[in-house]
């Protein structure tokens, strides 16, 4: 009888540890919103008939999560116009762990080029987390040798101010710059950019 009780005790302890281990191993789901800039009548920057809204939609459609713990949501999946207020309302309804707003720049000075990553200018409860993620994303994108500049900046952009979550706005280059235009409109380069972002957001869920 004693042997039976010892055996029962050992089995109970082993099962207990087994349940604890499996519970700890379950990673917390991560929700990420990809804000696909512009759309509809709002074309954003336009150079040589190529629009910012078109390019960011092409890129965004290539962004995937390979991690089942990372759930992706997009502010738009087609060519429609959403106000900044509508975008922010959508974001705040989801209460995500990260907002990544994707844009492409342009400037009268055609020498201006390179990647720029922005976080909110005004300090808020998400500032530290936003900065940490922006630095990591900057390092990840630096692996693509066609990116130049890679500056981390602060700006009073609406979504960065109003999103109730860590938020980053990324300008992937300047359509007005000859070299940037080439890599932003090249399918292979777009794939590399999207893959880098996909790998980065997938790693956030580990």
């Amino acid at each position: 009888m004693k042997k039976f009780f010892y055996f029962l005790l050992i089995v109970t302890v082993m099962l207990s540890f087994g349940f604890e281990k499996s519970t700890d191993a379950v990673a917390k789901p991560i929700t990420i919103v990809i804000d696909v800039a512009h759309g509809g009548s709002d074309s954003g920057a336009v150079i040589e008939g190529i629009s910012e809204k078109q390019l960011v939609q092409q890129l965004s459609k290539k962004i995937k999560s390979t991690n089942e713990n990372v759930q992706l949501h997009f502010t738009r999946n087609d060519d429609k116009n959403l106000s900044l207020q509508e975008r922010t309302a959508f974001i705040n309804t989801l209460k995500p762990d990260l907002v990544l707003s994707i844009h492409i720049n342009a400037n009268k000075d055609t020498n201006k080029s390179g990647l720029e990553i922005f976080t909110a200018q005004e300090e808020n409860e998400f500032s530290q987390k936003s900065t940490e993620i922006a630095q990591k994303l900057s390092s990840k994108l630096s692996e693509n040798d066609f990116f130049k500049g890679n500056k981390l900046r602060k700006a009073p952009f609406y979504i960065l101010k109003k999103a109730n979550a860590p938020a980053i706005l990324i300008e992937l280059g300047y359509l007005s710059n000859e070299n940037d235009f080439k890599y932003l409109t090249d399918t292979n380069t777009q794939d590399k950019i999207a893959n880098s972002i996909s790998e980065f957001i997938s790693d956030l869920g580990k």
Side-chain angles (χ1 to χ4, degrees):
M1 182 66 72
K2 286 183 179 181
K3 289 183 178 180
F4 172 77
F5 281 119
Y6 281 131
F7 173 78
L8 187 61
L9 179 62
I10 291 169
V11 170
T12 302
V13 171
M14 289 178 67
L15 287 173
S16 175
F17 279 122
F19 283 125
E20 287 179 8
K21 184 176 181 181
S22 62
T23 301
D24 293 340
V26 177
K28 175 184 176 294
I30 299 293
T31 300
I32 296 176
V33 174
I34 305 294
D35 174 42
V36 187
H38 306 287
S41 60
D42 178 10
S43 297
V46 181
I47 301 292
E48 296 182 19
I50 304 295
S51 67
E52 178 181 3
K53 70 168 186 176
Q54 170 190 350
L55 292 177
V56 294
Q57 185 173 343
Q58 289 174 359
L59 274 161
S60 297
K61 285 184 175 181
K62 297 179 181 183
I63 297 173
K64 311 290 182 185
S65 171
T66 57
N67 187 330
E68 62 183 11
N69 288 319
V70 176
Q71 301 172 348
L72 290 185
H73 300 268
F74 297 82
T75 52
R76 68 180 179 91
N77 293 303
D78 51 20
D79 186 18
K80 62 182 177 182
N81 196 341
L82 292 172
S83 69
L84 292 172
Q85 290 79 8
E86 289 173 316
R87 292 170 188 273
T88 308
F90 173 76
I91 288 166
N92 291 340
T93 298
L94 289 171
K95 299 178 181 179
D97 297 282
L98 174 64
V99 179
L100 181 59
S101 187
I102 300 178
H103 292 252
I104 293 170
N105 226 328
N107 197 285
K108 290 180 180 179
D109 181 358
T110 57
N111 289 319
K112 277 187 172 291
S113 67
L115 175 74
E116 295 174 317
I117 298 176
F118 295 88
T119 54
Q121 189 170 40
E122 295 181 7
E123 292 292 316
N124 58 45
E125 62 181 296
F126 307 107
S127 294
Q128 183 176 349
K129 189 67 175 176
S130 298
T131 300
E132 289 174 0
I133 296 174
Q135 289 170 341
K136 291 177 182 177
L137 178 59
S138 175
S139 296
K140 180 65 178 177
L141 292 176
S142 292
E143 296 173 7
N144 294 307
D145 56 10
F146 46 82
F147 276 134
K148 295 179 181 178
N150 211 1
K151 304 176 185 74
L152 294 177
R153 294 181 171 176
K154 293 186 179 294
F157 296 138
Y158 189 90
I159 283 181
L160 299 183
K161 290 192 297 183
K162 299 297 184 179
N164 294 326
I168 297 168
L169 187 146
I170 179 170
E171 297 275 7
L172 290 168
Y174 284 77
L175 271 180
S176 48
N177 178 270
E178 184 179 357
N179 289 330
D180 286 10
F181 184 91
K182 286 178 181 178
Y183 79 70
L184 288 167
T185 56
D186 182 82
T187 302
N188 292 329
T189 312
Q190 285 182 3
D191 289 343
K192 290 179 181 179
I193 296 170
N195 288 341
S196 292
I197 295 174
S198 296
E199 289 172 7
F200 176 78
I201 60 179
S202 296
D203 287 344
L204 292 177
K206 293 181 179 178

